[in-house]
Structures are given as structure tokens and as C-alpha cells.
Amino acid sequence: MNKDKQKKPTEGQNQPQAQPKSSEPPLQDQMMRRQSAPRPTAQDEFNKLMAQRGGMAAGGAMNGFKALAAVIGREQIQAASQTLQKYKEGKANLERRIVDNEQWYKLRHWECMRDQKQDVQPTSGWLFNSIANKHADAMDNFPSPNILPREEGDKGEAEMLTSIIPVILDQCEFEQTYRDVWHYKLKAGTGVYGVFWDKSKHNGLGDISIKKVDIINLFWESGITDIQKSRNLFHVELMDNDLLIGMYPQLEGKLGGSTLDLSKYVYDDKVDTTGKSAVVDWYYKKRQGSKTVLHYVKYVNDVVLFATENQTQPAVDPMGNPIGPSMAETGLYDHGMYPFVFDPLFSVEGTPCGFGYIDVGKSAQEYIDRGNQAILMNMLANSKPRHFIRNDGAVNEEEYADLTKDFIHVDSGLGQDSILPVQGKPLNDIYVTVINNMVDQLKEVTGNRDISTGGTTSGVTAASAIAAMQEAGSKLSRDNNKASYRAFRKICLMVVELIRQFYDMPRCFRIMGENGAARFVQYSNAGIMPQSQGNDFGLDMGLRVPQFDIEVTAQKQSPYSKMAQN
């Protein structure tokens, strides 16, 4: 060893200089800035790539080389449109029933009945009242998730997920979505949630979005009960042509009339659909090895706007470094499920949709209103006097009908039979009894008895007896709420999987403690990503993916209801 080169430095020579104090903000502030900083969109990255490669020549050539043919092109879109049309024909009866039920809900059901010629068309709100009470029961049982680990080592992550998932749901305004889906579910028989990753949230950072989906705009394979077993799934939505061209310039000159005719509700306002085009979101599954991959295509007419199978480049980080396989291999979402959750009220075989309370009670409501119509018409006929007048009765009819005339001119020969009043026939009380019985029938079949809405029967005065009767009368609502909790559990599982896939950067959450004190935490998907299990006897034990169970409890508004539900 050459020890001469290892001399100890003398004073003033090669002494470590004091580093100037860094002016960079602390790590937490850097995380917050990165979280709120704008993110480049897919179109920005595409434009940057085209600029680096010298642009795209006519005919799809790039730098003198012809672009590779896309997996999803015009031919595949035409075949998908034919499948979509077939799916639409398969659910025509369902769409017709949903549109009619909306009219019943708005008390416009006389337009749905055969007899529309009568001037007297009374509408009573017995069925509407049943739906309103069921909706109030549902909102009084608003769900709350509790994340449970399957292994002891994941307890910390489960506690963090239990704290941050309610915050994510609040940011999605899930309570409003839950309210809207329950309204739709009670009317149409099925509510549908859409659980998506919205990359436009937080200035491009992206976050989870949960929305209500209209069944009329959703199309699936006929004859299946589980929506996840459908070969394809389509969601169609109308958008203005000028907005589409602004978002996708390649659509210029290609937006004509759409061949897809969507069913429409009977709106009170005049809704103009001219100048709009149908934007189709096409979801389908493919088996790749032992894994089911969910693919996604967005197209208008025959123009492909985005297709996961066409994204053959590997995933990169913001610096352009490859970090994972391409979307053609992984698909849209790693969980491989359609991002839709169906919540039927009363299930029916052979379809993922059910029927609702309007379908159950519309017959009784129709007879109630027809009975009221007959009674009112009889009342109007008897309250307004009518008369028989002979042709030769010699009575001035105009003066007789005008109550302001003090004198009525007649000709000679006025007799007792010249004018006779029409004797009305009053209805028997049995008809009112029949209508009241139909009202009771409607309350019975919809589970909306007086005791479930706070009323009591005669002779019951004890508080404990009233509470017991109300609890027994709400068992139908509890059953309906349990079904919604099962759908909510699926939503939470999808939320956990989206966190696992996309929360690759720490995000800040405000969590309220038990005493109302707020604390701020940062969370990323680092703790729930696949983890190596090491080697055992020289064998690689593979990866372990943390799994969680969802326990749903009622976030009740009243302590009594919370105790009874939980």
C-alpha cells in the first residue's frame, strides 16, 4: 500500500466546507406541491412525442415509416356497433318500463293508461308517499365502511384505509350519489354505480370518481344475471359536436347523424338533441394466460378516440422512465372488473336488473285513481242541474239557463212536462269503501303501513309497544338496506383496488378523530402493493398481495336506529 498518498490533511487544507443552508422546502411541502401541480395530459405527451419524431406524415407515416396497424380499428368498431345494436334490442322492454315508471313517479300516469279522453283525471300520491318513505329509510341507514385485514401484518394499512376511504367518498360527494341511485332504484327497480379513475382531478394528478349511471345508457348481453359475466358492456352518452371537436380535433368533418337511437324520458322541458353525437365507451374482457384483462375503447361513429389495446408502449413515469408493462398487456384497471355495480331492488332471473315499488303498486294506484275519477264525475254530474226540455215546450232556454234573468219568456200552453229536472243518482257508500280498501292494499304490498311511518293503531299507547311494532314494521326496509350494503361493499373493494393501482404518490388527507380533532396524514399505495415473500429452501415464494374484507355498518342519524341496525 502506498501510505504516502494517505496523508492527514493539515489545518486549512481540504477541510470540509460548511454547506449552505438549503432553500428547498421540507419534504412534506414538496409532496403537497407535487400533489397539486398540473399534470401533462395524454394529448400533451402525444404532441411532445410527435415533435421529437418529426411529426406524422400523410397516410399515417412517421419519419418515413408507415405506422403499424392498430389492433382496434374501423373494422372492429363496426363489429362492436352491431353488437351494441343487438344488446339494445334485447333490453327494449326494460327501457319502455323505465320510461313509463318515471311518468308514474311524476304523477303523470294517466298518460300511460289506455283511457286518456276524460277531462276528470285525478291523481293521488299514495304510491309516491310509499316511495318517499322507503327513500327516507335508506338515507337514515347511510352506510359506513370498516376495512378488515386478512393477515395480521396488514392491520396498519387496514386502519389507514378505514380512515381515508370515507374522505375519498366525501370528495366524490357519494352521499348525493347514494341518494340519487336510491331514487332511481325505487322507481326503476335497479340502481347502478360507476366507479372510475378520473385523471383530470387535482390538476391532472387523478383520483377516484363514483357516479350514478342511467340504465337507459347502459347495454349488456341479454340473458345474464351477473353483469361481470357479460361478453361486452357499452355505455353511451350524447355530447355536443363542437365540444367533441375541441377535445378530439381528428373528428373534424366526421360527426354526422348517429345511427344509434337512445330511449328518452318524457321531459317537462323541451330537450334538443340535434347537433349531438353518441359517444360510446366499450368495455370487454380478454383472457391472457391465467388473468382476465379488462380492455376499453372510446369511439364516435367509426372513429377510435382511445383503445387500451392500441397502447403498446410501456408505462412511464413523469420523467419518461419505463415503470411497467403497456396498457395492451394490463388493460384499463388491474382488478379486471367492469367498473359498474348493479344494485337491484327485487331481483329477476335472467337479467341483472330487478323491479321496483312502482311496478308493485301501480295496479292498486290505477284503481284508486279510476275510482276517484268515477266518484268525482258523479259528484260533478249531480252538483250541476240538468233538465229535459220538450221541443214544443215553449220555454226560452237561454233565459232559463241564465241565472241573472229575473223573467223567463214562454209561449202559451206551458205544461208541467214542458221542462223536467234530471234526477241524479247518488253513489252508494260501498264504492268509497272499495277505494279505501285499495288504499290499504297499496300500503300493504309496498310495506308502507301506518306503523312504519310513525302512526299507531288504536289501543296501543305504551312507548315500548310502539317501538316494538315500528321495529317489526321496518323489516322490509332493513332487507332492502342489506342489499344496498352488498353493493356498497363491492364499491369499496373497487376503491381499494384503484388505490392500489394509482396512488403511487403520497396524498394528504384530513382525518377527524373521535373527539373532533383533525389530524393530517399522507398515504400512498406502497404498503398494499405486491410484496416479496422471500426464498424458502432455495425456492422463490413469489409475491403476496395484501387483501382486505369490507364490513359495512349503518351510519345512522338516530341512536335507536343505529343500535337496531348494527
Side-chain angles (χ1 to χ4, degrees), residues 95-112:
E95 294 179 355
R96 191 180 306 111
R97 177 171 63 84
I98 291 175
V99 173
D100 286 346
N101 286 359
E102 186 69 19
Q103 292 297 96
W104 280 85
Y105 177 75
K106 295 188 298 184
L107 303 183
R108 305 285 181 83
H109 46 274
W110 280 100
E111 302 173 6
C112 304

Side-chain angles (χ1 to χ4, degrees), residues 287-305:
R287 194 73 178 175
Q288 295 183 1
S290 59
K291 181 181 178 181
T292 300
V293 177
L294 174 68
H295 285 292
Y296 167 73
V297 178
K298 178 185 285 289
Y299 68 91
V300 178
N301 295 340
D302 293 339
V303 182
V304 180
L305 304 180

Side-chain angles (χ1 to χ4, degrees), residues 240-361:
D240 293 324
N241 290 339
D242 56 342
L243 296 179
L244 283 173
I245 294 175
M247 297 170 59
Y248 307 99
Q250 65 269 33
L251 293 176
E252 184 71 39
K254 300 179 181 179
L255 295 178
S258 177
T259 57
L260 184 63
D261 184 21
L262 293 177
S263 297
K264 302 179 182 63
Y265 295 104
V266 182
Y267 298 103
D268 293 338
D269 301 330
K270 182 178 180 181
V271 179
D272 185 14
T273 57
T274 59
K276 297 179 181 290
S277 296
V279 181
V280 182
D281 294 329
W282 171 26
Y283 301 87
Y284 60 97
K285 296 181 180 180
K286 278 191 173 182
R287 194 73 178 175
Q288 295 183 1
S290 59
K291 181 181 178 181
T292 300
V293 177
L294 174 68
H295 285 292
Y296 167 73
V297 178
K298 178 185 285 289
Y299 68 91
V300 178
N301 295 340
D302 293 339
V303 182
V304 180
L305 304 180
F306 178 83
T308 54
E309 284 200 276
N310 293 347
Q311 308 300 313
T312 57
Q313 297 295 327
V316 296
D317 60 12
M319 303 301 296
N321 301 317
I323 58 175
S326 64
M327 294 189 73
E329 301 177 36
T330 61
L332 181 63
Y333 298 133
D334 290 347
H335 55 60
M337 296 181 290
Y338 292 128
F340 299 97
V341 177
F342 279 58
D343 183 15
L345 186 59
F346 301 114
S347 300
V348 179
E349 295 298 330
T351 175
C353 297
F355 60 93
Y357 280 106
I358 290 183
D359 301 297
V360 174

